[in-house]
Amino acid sequence: MNKYESKGNLKECVDFFERDLIVKELKNSHGKLAETARKLGISKQLLKYKMQKYHLR
């Protein structure tokens, strides 16, 4: 069993995975939003939205 299997329904698993991925990439990019967004393949605006959604920063 991995850390995503015990989180409940599909939406909860996807949210957990997405938040985890964003946190890891923010750390790898030393908090630089533009670099993080580029590495994740999303816009900086979408990254900011997701950070707000997951209460990051």
Side-chain angles (χ1 to χ4, degrees):
M1 178 180 281
N2 66 42
K3 62 184 175 180
Y4 306 112
E5 289 182 69
S6 62
K7 295 297 175 192
N9 66 34
L10 179 62
K11 182 182 177 342
E12 290 170 345
C13 290
V14 170
D15 286 348
F16 183 84
F17 178 78
E18 185 174 61
R19 183 186 190 284
D20 191 48
L21 192 60
I22 291 169
V23 168
K24 286 178 183 175
E25 200 52 59
L26 278 167
K27 287 180 184 177
N28 290 340
S29 299
H30 306 288
K32 296 177 184 171
L33 298 185
E35 184 177 339
T36 300
R38 183 179 52 76
K39 288 182 176 181
L40 292 172
I42 60 175
S43 69
K44 190 174 164 184
Q45 182 180 2
L46 181 57
L47 176 60
K48 287 180 178 181
Y49 167 79
K50 289 180 181 295
M51 288 175 67
Q52 184 177 21
K53 175 182 175 181
Y54 299 122
H55 306 288
L56 302 173
R57 276 204 198 189

